[in-house]
Amino acid sequence: MSLVRRATPEDAEELLRLRQVMIDSVFAVRPGSSAGPGAGAGPGSGSGSGSDISWHAESLVTVRRRLAEPEGSFVAFVVDHPERPDGLAALVAGSLEYRIGRAGNPHGRVGCVFSVATDPDQRRKGYARAAMEALLDWFRERGAVSVDLNASVEAEPLYASLGFVRKADPSMRLNL
């Protein structure tokens, strides 16, 4: 039996907690660095001092609704925490996106991974890898021919071992 399972609406609060762990880890202000997008946020459980969790309550309704859509384009795979019955040890979330087709992907299906997080006390146990493999299988079953993600320096070896490669990316963003 696999440790990994598909997340359900009942997991929504823990998904948000682990997403905050990821946000705090990626955007933590490191010694000697200038304040960035997560200035003041430090690594931890997502409820530590400096973490802005004010958005969790508003997001919770949407996350529950999206997790309840069995055929939807959003999915999360999780590993239950071995020491906390209602807790999660790891999370991987992504969505199947449509883009106008092209050579090599005429149907335009692309996977997007946007949240990978493991509780700090549960790292180095293979949970993120197992959950990523489940997500990659989910993308394959739905006809995605490529998967995009943004990798932290710490997580890049995991993704490289799964076959991900860095690409020259001219991405830009406009916050509305």
Side-chain angles (χ1 to χ4, degrees):
M1 184 172 158
S2 173
L3 293 171
V4 179
R5 64 177 176 81
R6 187 167 175 170
T8 65
E10 292 75 25
D11 295 315
E13 286 186 53
E14 274 292 285
L15 258 69
L16 291 175
R17 183 187 66 78
L18 282 174
R19 177 144 171 89
Q20 191 68 51
V21 167
M22 183 209 66
I23 291 167
D24 290 350
S25 176
V26 170
F27 295 110
V29 176
R30 309 243 191 287
S33 69
S34 59
S45 68
S47 60
S49 63
S51 296
D52 177 7
I53 61 171
S54 61
W55 58 275
H56 288 206
E58 189 173 352
S59 184
L60 188 60
V61 174
T62 302
V63 172
R64 280 190 180 130
R65 179 178 51 80
R66 296 297 304 268
L67 289 171
E69 298 170 356
E71 298 304 317
S73 61
F74 167 77
V75 68
F77 289 95
V78 298
V79 174
D80 292 312
H81 198 289
E83 298 162 8
R84 292 195 319 259
D86 294 330
L88 297 176
L91 154 73
V92 173
S95 62
L96 186 64
E97 298 181 357
Y98 170 75
R99 299 176 187 166
I100 296 173
R102 59 171 173 77
N105 188 3
H107 299 288
R109 292 186 191 109
V110 176
C112 179
V113 179
F114 51 81
S115 256
V116 179
T118 304
D119 241 348
D121 68 339
Q122 296 298 308
R123 291 181 180 159
R124 313 286 316 156
K125 296 181 179 184
Y127 295 158
R129 172 180 297 281
M132 274 295 297
E133 289 171 347
L135 180 59
L136 294 175
D137 287 344
W138 186 85
F139 287 140
R140 283 185 195 98
E141 291 165 5
R142 282 151 186 78
V145 297
S146 64
V147 178
D148 294 327
L149 60 75
N150 292 317
S152 67
V153 172
E154 295 85 5
E156 190 168 341
L158 166 64
Y159 303 133
S161 74
L162 292 167
F164 286 85
V165 295
R166 285 259 174 219
K167 60 180 186 161
D169 190 341
S171 295
M172 296 175 74
R173 172 174 286 159
L174 169 66
N175 290 323
L176 300 177

